[in-house]
Amino acid sequence: FSATRNNDRIGLILFSDQVEKYIPPRKGARHVLRIIKEVLTHKPERTGTDAAPALDFLNHTQSRKAVTFLISDFIFPTDCERPLKITARRHDLIAVTIGDRHERAWPKAGVVQWCDPESGQTVLVDTSSNAVRRELFLLQEQRSDELKKNLRRAGFDMIELFTGES
């Protein structure tokens, strides 16, 4: 709605491991409402996640420099550093990372079965162990620090959001 007040154009690319939906940039409140509807009702066709095809698609379809928000948990199976750098040179790219504070402070819940929704792989984790919870915390902190470093090196800004927060 901020873009509408500024008379800016707004578009949308929804992706999994491929581009699933593209709405070209346009102006107007009706267009913004369409984008909101698509975000809220979209059902992904595939379970994988990879930003590289979406970034390549953006770079090939958007010839004019644009402010671009990449909203993701940034857990990708491949290295996206090169497509991120290319996109950051062509557009004003802002990374919006989505995380969960519970991933850094696991409760003592006993043995928990985790399932990766993308691969379907399951693993049992003993969250009652202090050593296991400490290792999970360190792995998550390491991943977060590495992501921040890579985003800074690629040359764009980052906004960090957490589930369950405003």
Side-chain angles (χ1 to χ4, degrees):
F1 291 110
S2 170
T4 301
R5 282 192 296 272
N6 291 334
N7 203 29
D8 293 333
R9 299 177 336 145
I10 181 172
L12 177 69
I13 299 172
L14 295 174
F15 66 94
S16 55
D17 58 351
Q18 67 182 18
V19 173
E20 295 196 0
K21 184 80 164 182
Y22 172 62
I23 300 174
R26 290 201 175 90
K27 297 178 181 181
R30 289 186 69 201
H31 185 67
V32 170
L33 291 172
R34 176 182 177 211
I35 285 176
I36 291 170
K37 177 184 167 258
E38 288 295 335
V39 167
L40 294 174
T41 62
H42 179 73
K43 300 281 189 253
E45 296 169 12
R46 300 172 59 137
T47 58
T49 306
D50 191 358
L55 293 169
D56 289 339
F57 183 84
L58 169 68
N59 291 329
H60 286 94
T61 57
Q62 186 65 33
S63 58
R64 301 169 83 185
K65 184 173 181 123
V67 176
T68 306
F69 295 90
L70 177 57
I71 304 170
S72 174
D73 61 5
F74 286 82
I75 301 173
F76 303 126
T78 60
D79 182 20
C80 288
E81 191 169 346
R82 185 173 184 278
L84 285 169
K85 283 183 179 180
I86 292 169
T87 305
R89 279 196 307 264
R90 297 190 66 180
H91 303 288
D92 185 6
L93 184 61
I94 300 163
V96 180
T97 64
I98 307 294
D100 189 333
R101 293 204 190 274
H102 290 101
E103 292 174 343
R104 297 185 180 164
W106 292 99
K108 290 183 179 182
V111 177
V112 177
Q113 181 176 349
W114 286 347
C115 179
D116 179 351
E118 293 183 14
S119 68
Q121 182 180 8
T122 61
V123 64
L124 294 176
V125 179
D126 183 6
T127 61
S128 63
S129 165
N130 289 336
V132 169
R133 286 196 325 280
R134 174 95 177 121
E135 185 66 24
L136 291 170
F137 171 80
L138 290 174
L139 287 170
Q140 189 62 23
E141 286 296 306
Q142 178 184 3
R143 181 188 150 323
S144 177
D145 291 345
E146 188 174 317
L147 175 62
K148 288 175 187 174
K149 181 181 75 175
N150 288 341
L151 293 177
R152 245 183 278 114
R153 189 173 50 222
F156 52 92
D157 299 322
M158 181 177 127
I159 300 170
E160 199 169 13
L161 300 178
F162 295 96
T163 59
E165 295 180 4
S166 173

